[in-house]
């Protein structure tokens, strides 16, 4: 793309239904190199429609990501060819790329083809007995080893992906909500069992030397200790800052304190600080949200959710959200695109019943918050469910009676389960934006313009 002429760029735009931009691109002489050098501000000046801006930036970003991945893979091939010239020859280059691609684990992992007797048990949705569990684990271990080209050292994210796939395909295996940790522990133990007799394997010896041999040590038995061992005890990963016993102590204290009516918030802050490393590692390794919340229940509190966001970004999300709604609410409500929207009609009817300035301001800010997806042409069902059942899996707000000061309710849902009750629309909007960052959840395409707008204001990236 870097070597494209202006005309080639114009043809590329036409192929992607962006033909309206061709005259402007010709006028400004945008070649392929210039296209890849465009930043947000340049795109805004060049393209007027927000939809076209979003599509163009997304296309450029995807091309740059693909280019980056190809360059890293090319470098990998060149390095390997210098060390092992007989492996990376013209004859074997295709198979080398295929092998490299196969080793890139993704969330689209497919379960192996289980034997007939296992299929029958799973089809009947029966909880397997001990011997059947061993059979399932053996097939999963063999399948993972095949994907790893014979390696017996999966990392934590690979364990998580496989167990998540198993429980999504067969939810009844998640017994009492502890299934993830039980199956993951069994899978890890299976790999340990397979590794045990291989004393002369080069990789086994290298990892034993690097991480220390743990034979003879007593196995941890508590729920929290097993969970931390899952996250911290992986080979090929750096050890966590705190030892498992110390981390377990903090997690137990947080769980006990969460059950109290009167909480020591200063000590909660302190212990959440001390456990952030293991918490972020669990999230980055794609551990299920319910297990993260079970270990760190204070993330259900809006205050701690905002605090976690601030630890990650150094931004006060609640303060920023208040400023956004106060500045933009009147402008949003005056737009023609929202004039006949049911939310705006409901607002106008309720405004007639009140005269208090604070109440009127609250209602307008609430309406502006709920109308944001309409302004950007996004899917409002992925933003807020107003007097309706929540259907989205990604973070979404549940709002009931939004303009009734006495009975309005706001809640944040993730994976169709309530995460937190919220006081008002400002707190709700701040919690929604924070949840995507804190839990590292990808933004759905059908709501990305709205969230991009909010994030640009929160992070002061550009002037919307």
């Amino acid at each position: 793309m870097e070597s494209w002429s202006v005309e080639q760029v114009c043809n590329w735009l036409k192929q992607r239904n962006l033909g309206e931009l061709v005259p402007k691109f010709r006028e400004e002489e945008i070649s392929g190199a210039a296209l890849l050098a465009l930043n947000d501000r340049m795109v805004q000046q060049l393209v007027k429609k927000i939809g076209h801006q979003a599509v163009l930036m997304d296309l450029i970003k995807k091309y740059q990501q693909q280019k980056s991945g190809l360059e890293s893979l090319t470098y990998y091939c060149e390095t390997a060819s210098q060390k092992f010239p007989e492996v990376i020859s013209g004859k074997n280059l295709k198979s080398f790329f295929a092998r490299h691609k196969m080793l890139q684990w993704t969330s689209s992992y497919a379960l192996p083809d289980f034997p007939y007797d296992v299929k029958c048990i799973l089809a009947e949705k029966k909880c397997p007995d001990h011997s059947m569990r061993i059979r399932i684990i053996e097939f999963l271990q063999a399948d993972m080893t095949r994907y790893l080209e014979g390696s017996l050292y999966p990392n934590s994210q690979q364990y998580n992906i496989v167990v998540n796939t198993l429980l999504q395909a067969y939810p009844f295996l998640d017994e009492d909500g502890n299934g993830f940790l039980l199956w993951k522990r069994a899978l890890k133990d299976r790999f340990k069992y397979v590794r045990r007799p291989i004393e002369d394997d080069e990789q086994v010896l290298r990892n034993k030397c690097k991480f220390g041999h743990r034979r003879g040590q007593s196995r941890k038995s508590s729920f929290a200790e097993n969970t931390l061992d899952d996250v911290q005890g992986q080979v090929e990963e750096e050890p966590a800052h705190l030892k498992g016993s110390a981390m377990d102590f903090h997690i137990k204290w947080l769980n006990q304190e969460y059950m109290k009516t009167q909480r020591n918030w200063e000590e909660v802050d302190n212990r959440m600080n001390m456990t952030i490393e293991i918490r972020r590692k669990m999230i980055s390794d794609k551990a299920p949200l319910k297990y993260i919340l079970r270990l760190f229940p204070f993330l259900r509190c809006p205050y701690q959710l905002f605090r976690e966001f601030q630890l990650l970004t150094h931004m006060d999300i609640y303060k920023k959200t208040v400023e956004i709604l106060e500045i933009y609410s009147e402008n949003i409500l005056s737009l023609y695109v929202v004039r006949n929207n049911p939310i705006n009609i409901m607002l106008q009817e309720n405004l007639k019943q009140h005269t208090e300035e604070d109440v009127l301001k609250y209602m307008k800010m609430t309406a502006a918050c709920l109308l944001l997806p309409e302004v950007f042409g996004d899917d409002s069902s992925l933003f807020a469910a107003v007097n309706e059942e929540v259907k989205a899996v990604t973070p979404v707000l549940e709002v009931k009676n939004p303009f009734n000061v006495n009975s309005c309710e706001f809640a944040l849902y993730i994976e169709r389960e309530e995460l937190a009750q919220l006081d008002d629309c400002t707190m709700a909007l701040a919690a929604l934006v924070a949840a995507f960052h804190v839990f590292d959840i990808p933004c759905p395409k059908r709501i990305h313009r709205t969230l991009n707008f909010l994030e640009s204001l929160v992070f002061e990236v550009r002037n919307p």
Side-chain angles (χ1 to χ4, degrees), residues 9-262:
V9 171
C10 292
N11 290 334
W12 177 77
L13 291 172
K14 292 175 184 177
Q15 292 171 4
R16 283 154 181 78
N17 298 320
L18 295 173
E20 295 180 26
L21 308 182
V22 169
K24 188 65 175 177
F25 271 60
R26 282 192 179 128
E27 179 184 343
E28 298 293 339
E29 297 183 356
I30 304 296
S31 63
L35 177 66
L36 295 177
L38 294 176
N39 57 32
D40 286 36
R41 188 174 296 279
M42 293 176 184
V43 171
Q44 289 174 41
Q45 295 174 350
L46 193 65
V47 182
K48 298 304 178 185
K49 292 184 179 179
I50 293 178
H52 287 168
Q53 292 177 14
V55 171
L56 184 61
M57 289 303 298
D58 186 56
L59 288 171
I60 295 173
K61 182 179 179 182
K62 285 180 179 177
Y63 175 83
Q64 291 171 338
Q65 289 175 343
Q66 291 173 356
K67 180 188 173 187
S68 176
L70 183 60
E71 287 176 349
S72 63
L73 185 56
T74 303
Y75 173 77
Y76 181 38
C77 291
E78 292 173 351
T79 305
S81 64
Q82 293 171 5
K83 293 182 179 179
F84 311 105
E86 71 282 2
V87 177
I88 311 300
S89 61
K91 181 179 178 180
N92 296 326
L93 188 60
K94 184 177 180 180
S95 62
F96 179 84
F97 273 85
R99 178 186 175 192
H100 179 83
K101 183 177 181 181
M102 184 183 69
L103 295 178
Q104 303 306 305
W105 282 63
T106 66
S107 57
S108 60
Y109 169 80
L111 291 171
D113 187 20
F114 291 116
Y116 180 75
D117 57 337
V118 176
K119 287 182 179 178
C120 290
I121 293 294
L122 295 176
E124 294 173 3
K125 298 184 178 180
K126 292 182 179 179
C127 289
D129 58 19
H130 180 68
S131 62
M132 191 59 67
R133 282 175 176 271
I134 293 175
R135 294 259 286 156
I136 294 173
I137 288 296
E138 285 176 348
F139 272 84
L140 289 177
Q141 179 266 318
D143 192 55
M144 290 179 72
T145 303
R146 178 176 61 84
Y147 269 93
L148 292 167
E149 286 291 299
S151 172
L152 297 175
Y153 287 94
N155 61 36
S156 185
Q157 186 173 4
Q158 290 163 350
Y159 279 119
N160 290 344
I161 288 171
V162 172
V163 176
N164 269 331
T165 305
L166 178 68
L167 297 186
Q168 287 173 6
Y170 307 106
F172 58 91
L173 296 178
D174 189 8
E175 303 170 14
D176 302 324
N178 294 329
F180 176 82
L181 296 176
L182 294 175
W183 285 97
K184 184 176 178 182
R185 167 56 60 189
L187 189 56
K188 289 182 64 182
D189 286 347
R190 176 64 189 174
F191 270 97
K192 289 179 183 178
Y193 175 80
V194 173
R195 289 196 300 261
R196 189 171 297 163
I198 310 176
E199 299 292 342
D200 58 345
D201 182 82
E202 182 180 348
Q203 186 180 12
V204 174
L205 294 174
R206 185 169 62 250
N207 281 287
K208 281 183 178 180
C209 180
K210 182 176 180 181
F211 297 101
H213 191 22
R214 298 178 62 183
R215 181 175 293 177
Q217 293 183 11
S218 60
R219 177 175 291 182
K220 300 173 184 178
S221 58
S222 72
F223 172 82
E225 285 172 332
N226 282 335
T227 303
L228 292 167
D229 186 56
D230 285 339
V231 179
Q232 291 177 281
Q234 300 298 327
V235 295
E236 301 180 350
E237 295 181 13
E238 291 299 321
H241 178 63
L242 294 174
K243 294 182 180 179
S245 57
M247 191 69 69
D248 178 48
F249 176 75
H250 294 309
I251 289 176
K252 284 181 178 178
W253 187 93
L254 288 168
N255 277 267
Q256 292 170 359
E257 192 71 10
Y258 184 74
M259 302 303 295
K260 297 179 181 179
T261 306
Q262 299 292 329

Side-chain angles (χ1 to χ4, degrees), residues 253-407:
W253 187 93
L254 288 168
N255 277 267
Q256 292 170 359
E257 192 71 10
Y258 184 74
M259 302 303 295
K260 297 179 181 179
T261 306
Q262 299 292 329
R263 296 161 178 166
N264 183 349
W265 286 108
E266 184 177 352
E267 186 62 21
V268 169
D269 291 348
N270 181 42
R271 293 184 188 255
M272 289 293 283
N273 283 350
M274 299 179 74
T275 56
I276 189 170
E277 184 178 345
I278 193 70
R279 189 162 60 251
R280 299 317 306 169
K281 181 159 183 58
M282 290 179 69
I283 292 172
S284 66
D285 285 343
K286 307 300 180 186
L289 178 64
K290 62 181 178 180
Y291 296 106
I292 296 169
L293 294 175
R294 183 175 297 175
L295 293 179
F296 304 100
F298 278 101
L299 288 178
R300 293 180 178 275
C301 301
Y303 163 74
Q304 283 298 329
L305 188 65
F306 298 156
R307 192 172 178 278
E308 189 92 350
F309 182 90
Q310 190 164 13
L311 290 174
L312 296 173
T313 65
H314 307 290
M315 289 287 181
D316 187 337
I317 183 70
Y318 183 75
K319 180 181 177 182
K320 287 287 185 180
T321 306
V322 172
E323 294 173 358
I324 291 169
L325 289 180
E326 286 183 345
I327 294 172
Y328 288 94
S329 57
E330 290 289 349
N331 292 337
I332 291 171
L333 296 176
S334 65
L335 293 173
Y336 178 79
V337 71
V338 303
R339 185 169 299 175
N340 297 320
N341 188 279
I343 297 292
N344 200 12
I345 293 173
M346 196 187 310
L347 168 68
Q348 300 305 324
E349 292 175 354
N350 281 272
L351 287 177
K352 298 174 184 177
Q353 302 173 17
H354 298 274
T355 56
E356 300 90 340
E357 186 176 343
D358 290 342
V359 174
L360 297 178
K361 180 181 178 181
Y362 166 82
M363 288 183 176
K364 289 180 179 180
M365 290 174 66
T366 301
C369 170
L370 299 178
L371 287 170
L372 272 172
E374 298 294 333
V375 173
F376 293 96
D378 281 339
D379 186 348
S380 58
S381 67
L382 297 178
F383 186 82
V386 182
N387 296 328
E388 294 179 356
E389 180 185 356
V390 170
K391 297 180 181 179
V393 177
T394 51
V396 66
L397 300 176
E398 183 194 54
V399 185
K400 296 180 180 178
N401 309 315
F403 303 113
N404 189 323
V405 180
N406 298 319
S407 64

